[in-house]
Amino acid sequence: MASSSGSWLSRCFITLIFLQLPLHVSVTCHSRWGPWHGEALRGWSQVASVSAPSPGRFSSSTVALAVILPVLGIFILVGIYIIWKQRRSKERLLYEHAMEVENLLSDHAKEKGRLYKALKKLRRELKLKRSAANSGWRRARLHFVTVTLDPDTAHPKLILSEDRRCVKLGDTRQPVPNNPQRFDFVVSVLGSEYFIAGCHYWEVSVADKTKWALGVCSESVSRKGKVTASPANGHWLLRQNRGNEYEALTSPQTSFRLKEPPRCVGIFLDYEAGVISFYNVTDQSHIFTFTHSFSGPLRPFFEPCLHDGGKNMAPLIICSELQKPEESTVPKPEEKGLANGDVALQVDPFLLPAQAPELLPLRDMILSWPSDIGPALQGLKVPSF
């Protein structure tokens, strides 16, 4: 029995040492006959008391471990919470960006639709205006009149042809009477015709010229000294300034460019309507229109302008008959390979000037007009081409 008890005690001490617990162990064995003397007796009562150390006897490593573990747990929880918040924030930000992009795409689609509708509307309006201009030009040609130059109004440097349909600038002043009707500063000449009513149309060839001025003026315009041409002073003129730059002599002047430089210009006067329109006979397009309430006689105006360094030597020629529209002289651009996002532009056919059909016989044209206008055109003669 003694050996059994000893082995038991050995196992207790070994277990405590292995666990390395700072415990104070007191083991006391008692028998009902007194203290144990190592004899193997039955009925022993063995009592083992294990006492815990006092709080003041904890080791520093135990205290550090007890503090570090909760703090570390707290840090881990805080880190997990921060990571979760960041992920939620990123997801929210991505969602907001996705919604913003979707809204932008929706707005872009709506704006594209609006622009397409606006462009379609502008093209339709342009087509209508071009059709109206072409129709106005064709109707204006029904009022063609023959115009000649008045030599009594010509500047002394101007040279007129014998048939009085051609004028150009000479190098020297000619010995002509200095009458009140003659221009003495502006190199201009007026037409012999006086218009006090009705509609009148004439055409002037400006081929090979770099500068010119054409139109209508009042009979009462000043002929002496420098004159500012404007509607307020009785001038309704169109002028080529240089190259493809043109000006309507309004106040202030209206400058513009033309797609097709005119080789022949048509001037239309509707006295009662107060309209003076200019047309490009070359491509059958409308150039410009003046509106005014006329009073007193009006006369055609011609100014061949200065020589422009020898570039403007060609004369102005009044056409004795209606001129046929010419083929466009604007060269077509060569097709090139597209690069860097260049876009190939395609022009709708209705944006191009319509080809001028041949004039119908007057009888057929009168039949196509309204019944209240037809009788007024019965006596009108249209020259053949």
Side-chain angles (χ1 to χ4, degrees), residues 143 366 370-380:
H143 304 282
I366 292 174
S371 58
D372 57 340
I373 301 179
L377 301 176
Q378 293 292 338
L380 187 64

mmCIF file of all heavy atoms in Angstrom, residues 143 366 370-380:
data_model
loop_
_atom_site.group_PDB
_atom_site.id
_atom_site.type_symbol
_atom_site.label_atom_id
_atom_site.label_comp_id
_atom_site.label_asym_id
_atom_site.label_seq_id
_atom_site.Cartn_x
_atom_site.Cartn_y
_atom_site.Cartn_z
ATOM 1 N N HIS A 143 -40.143 88.242 -115.831
ATOM 2 C CA HIS A 143 -40.227 89.703 -115.979
ATOM 3 C C HIS A 143 -38.947 90.273 -116.587
ATOM 4 O O HIS A 143 -38.568 91.404 -116.291
ATOM 5 C CB HIS A 143 -40.498 90.333 -114.610
ATOM 6 C CG HIS A 143 -41.723 89.821 -113.920
ATOM 7 N ND1 HIS A 143 -42.996 90.229 -114.259
ATOM 8 C CD2 HIS A 143 -41.874 88.897 -112.927
ATOM 9 C CE1 HIS A 143 -43.878 89.613 -113.489
ATOM 10 N NE2 HIS A 143 -43.221 88.790 -112.678
ATOM 11 N N ILE A 366 -48.920 79.791 -117.873
ATOM 12 C CA ILE A 366 -50.073 80.580 -117.470
ATOM 13 C C ILE A 366 -51.181 79.677 -116.961
ATOM 14 O O ILE A 366 -51.861 79.978 -115.979
ATOM 15 C CB ILE A 366 -50.564 81.450 -118.646
ATOM 16 C CG1 ILE A 366 -49.506 82.529 -118.957
ATOM 17 C CG2 ILE A 366 -51.907 82.082 -118.350
ATOM 18 C CD1 ILE A 366 -49.821 83.349 -120.186
ATOM 19 N N PRO A 370 -52.612 80.491 -110.705
ATOM 20 C CA PRO A 370 -54.002 80.648 -110.239
ATOM 21 C C PRO A 370 -54.828 81.452 -111.227
ATOM 22 O O PRO A 370 -54.316 82.265 -111.995
ATOM 23 C CB PRO A 370 -53.835 81.388 -108.898
ATOM 24 C CG PRO A 370 -52.445 81.063 -108.456
ATOM 25 C CD PRO A 370 -51.639 80.915 -109.706
ATOM 26 N N SER A 371 -56.134 81.239 -111.179
ATOM 27 C CA SER A 371 -57.035 81.850 -112.161
ATOM 28 C C SER A 371 -57.024 83.369 -112.083
ATOM 29 O O SER A 371 -57.246 84.041 -113.089
ATOM 30 C CB SER A 371 -58.459 81.322 -111.938
ATOM 31 O OG SER A 371 -58.880 81.607 -110.608
ATOM 32 N N ASP A 372 -56.750 83.940 -110.894
ATOM 33 C CA ASP A 372 -56.778 85.393 -110.781
ATOM 34 C C ASP A 372 -55.513 86.043 -111.288
ATOM 35 O O ASP A 372 -55.463 87.255 -111.479
ATOM 36 C CB ASP A 372 -57.013 85.797 -109.321
ATOM 37 C CG ASP A 372 -55.959 85.217 -108.406
ATOM 38 O OD1 ASP A 372 -55.306 84.237 -108.826
ATOM 39 O OD2 ASP A 372 -55.786 85.736 -107.285
ATOM 40 N N ILE A 373 -54.432 85.267 -111.499
ATOM 41 C CA ILE A 373 -53.179 85.819 -112.001
ATOM 42 C C ILE A 373 -52.996 85.544 -113.476
ATOM 43 O O ILE A 373 -52.340 86.293 -114.204
ATOM 44 C CB ILE A 373 -51.988 85.224 -111.209
ATOM 45 C CG1 ILE A 373 -52.146 85.560 -109.723
ATOM 46 C CG2 ILE A 373 -50.658 85.747 -111.713
ATOM 47 C CD1 ILE A 373 -51.038 85.002 -108.860
ATOM 48 N N GLY A 374 -53.597 84.465 -113.971
ATOM 49 C CA GLY A 374 -53.421 84.063 -115.366
ATOM 50 C C GLY A 374 -53.750 85.141 -116.365
ATOM 51 O O GLY A 374 -52.968 85.415 -117.276
ATOM 52 N N PRO A 375 -54.903 85.818 -116.257
ATOM 53 C CA PRO A 375 -55.225 86.841 -117.260
ATOM 54 C C PRO A 375 -54.219 87.972 -117.320
ATOM 55 O O PRO A 375 -53.979 88.538 -118.379
ATOM 56 C CB PRO A 375 -56.598 87.342 -116.786
ATOM 57 C CG PRO A 375 -57.167 86.219 -116.010
ATOM 58 C CD PRO A 375 -56.013 85.569 -115.332
ATOM 59 N N ALA A 376 -53.579 88.278 -116.179
ATOM 60 C CA ALA A 376 -52.614 89.383 -116.178
ATOM 61 C C ALA A 376 -51.351 89.032 -116.932
ATOM 62 O O ALA A 376 -50.568 89.901 -117.299
ATOM 63 C CB ALA A 376 -52.263 89.757 -114.733
ATOM 64 N N LEU A 377 -51.117 87.724 -117.163
ATOM 65 C CA LEU A 377 -49.897 87.289 -117.840
ATOM 66 C C LEU A 377 -50.123 86.966 -119.311
ATOM 67 O O LEU A 377 -49.204 86.497 -119.984
ATOM 68 C CB LEU A 377 -49.327 86.043 -117.137
ATOM 69 C CG LEU A 377 -48.974 86.217 -115.653
ATOM 70 C CD1 LEU A 377 -48.515 84.888 -115.075
ATOM 71 C CD2 LEU A 377 -47.882 87.264 -115.494
ATOM 72 N N GLN A 378 -51.335 87.194 -119.805
ATOM 73 C CA GLN A 378 -51.633 86.798 -121.172
ATOM 74 C C GLN A 378 -50.762 87.546 -122.180
ATOM 75 O O GLN A 378 -50.314 86.988 -123.169
ATOM 76 C CB GLN A 378 -53.123 87.061 -121.473
ATOM 77 C CG GLN A 378 -54.074 86.161 -120.684
ATOM 78 C CD GLN A 378 -53.981 84.723 -121.118
ATOM 79 O OE1 GLN A 378 -53.533 84.441 -122.236
ATOM 80 N NE2 GLN A 378 -54.376 83.802 -120.255
ATOM 81 N N GLY A 379 -50.481 88.804 -121.898
ATOM 82 C CA GLY A 379 -49.717 89.584 -122.883
ATOM 83 C C GLY A 379 -48.229 89.545 -122.648
ATOM 84 O O GLY A 379 -47.482 90.276 -123.308
ATOM 85 N N LEU A 380 -47.752 88.707 -121.689
ATOM 86 C CA LEU A 380 -46.324 88.669 -121.375
ATOM 87 C C LEU A 380 -45.592 87.768 -122.356
ATOM 88 O O LEU A 380 -46.065 86.685 -122.675
ATOM 89 C CB LEU A 380 -46.134 88.160 -119.939
ATOM 90 C CG LEU A 380 -44.718 88.209 -119.387
ATOM 91 C CD1 LEU A 380 -44.242 89.651 -119.301
ATOM 92 C CD2 LEU A 380 -44.665 87.552 -118.021
#
